[in-house]
Amino acid sequence: MACKFSFIIPLFCLFLACSAYQPYPYAFSELDYNFYDETCPHLQAIVRYGVWQAMSKEKRIAASLVRLHFHDCIVDGCDASVLLDDTSTFKGEKNALPNRNSARGFEVINSIKADVEDACPSTVSCADILALATMEAVNLSGGPYWSVPLGRRDSTTASEKSANEQIPSPFEPLENITAKFNSKGLEFKDVVVLSGAHTIGFAQCFTFQRRLFDFKNTGKPDPTLDSSMVQTLKSICPNGDQSANSKLAPLDSSNEMFDNLYYKNLMNNAGLLESDQVLMQSTQGASLAQYYSMYPYRFYDDFAESMAKMSEIGVLTGQEGVIRKKCGIVN
């Protein structure tokens, strides 16, 4: 069973060992759970404390870190390319359409990286820090804990074009979203499970506004969206008000707590994004949503497994890539 922590915990609990979920043996992987045991033995404690500190100021940052990690891994692999600033030789991913004015958490990773550099100079990659920080953010939000295999290295470039093409959009048909996951070695079950990350955080109005007023040019709301929810969301995101595009609505009513309410919402036509509710149009998606709505700990276990699986996509190891000293720039 994946282990859980409450967000409100004594400080000493940040450093307690937890029975970690290890879905894969990694016998044939170049990643290793014990990769930094000798070279940076206090790495996980440093990362956990950094995430805890950030979440004590703003709990929403947990969802931002999960999204940042996903947007990193789904674009050419988990190589911290999403963290790179633009240079004279490439336009990076930060200003790609799916990330522009919405990707957050860079300052948290940069702060943790600075602390790690003080303890273990030029040793730990930004990609590993982001993977660890994401797990800690989920766990500190009440979700599962899983062991993160380590040994990733950082890319020396990034691509705005790749980010625009490879990151799934909330407006895309389910078959397109599934195809993008499949291209990274993920399965449809992973689509449903990883979408459950939307149990924490917020979405900007522009990502779901057309569901409220003119769904697919019908002049009417999306018929799959609960009518009472439509009215509530209209009060947050008025029609025709461009200034409302960046206003925020919670992804579910317990958006600071990692739980299984996301799937209960899907069962009641209350998924906020089109890409959420569309899961119910698939027999397998509807079946999994019902299962996770009834058995939260099965969701936690499967989420831990899918996140570990995702964190291995396209990793750079060995002599590939570099260890950046600062996450936003190439050495």
Side-chain angles (χ1 to χ4, degrees), residues 136-214:
E136 299 291 2
V138 169
N139 187 226
L140 289 169
S141 298
Y145 178 101
W146 63 94
S147 287
V148 178
L150 302 168
R152 298 165 190 79
R153 288 170 66 86
D154 300 321
S155 68
T156 56
T157 189
S159 170
E160 180 183 61
K161 180 175 182 292
S162 293
N164 283 330
E165 292 174 350
Q166 296 176 32
I167 296 174
S169 160
F171 312 113
E172 285 188 275
L174 183 57
E175 55 266 29
N176 289 20
I177 294 172
T178 303
K180 288 183 176 182
F181 274 68
N182 290 164
S183 72
K184 306 299 178 180
L186 300 174
E187 302 170 1
F188 180 74
K189 181 182 178 182
D190 298 309
V191 177
V192 179
V193 172
L194 294 175
S195 294
H198 290 170
T199 187
I200 54 175
F202 293 79
Q204 295 185 47
C205 285
F206 82 90
T207 61
F208 59 84
Q209 204 161 21
R210 77 172 187 172
R211 300 189 73 196
L212 310 180
F213 302 102
D214 188 22

Side-chain angles (χ1 to χ4, degrees), residues 29-36 39 43 78 123-129 131-132 148-154 311 315-323:
S29 171
E30 293 186 58
L31 301 182
D32 187 338
Y33 293 113
N34 306 310
F35 191 84
Y36 297 111
T39 57
L43 171 62
C78 307
T123 301
V124 182
S125 68
C126 298
D128 276 344
I129 289 172
L132 278 170
V148 178
L150 302 168
R152 298 165 190 79
R153 288 170 66 86
D154 300 321
S311 76
V315 295
L316 303 174
T317 58
Q319 297 303 308
E320 300 172 310
V322 298
I323 302 296

Side-chain angles (χ1 to χ4, degrees), residues 7 51-59 61-62 136-137 140-141:
F7 173 71
V51 174
W52 175 83
Q53 203 170 35
M55 288 178 63
S56 68
K57 298 174 184 175
E58 182 199 28
K59 289 186 181 179
I61 199 66
E136 299 291 2
L140 289 169
S141 298

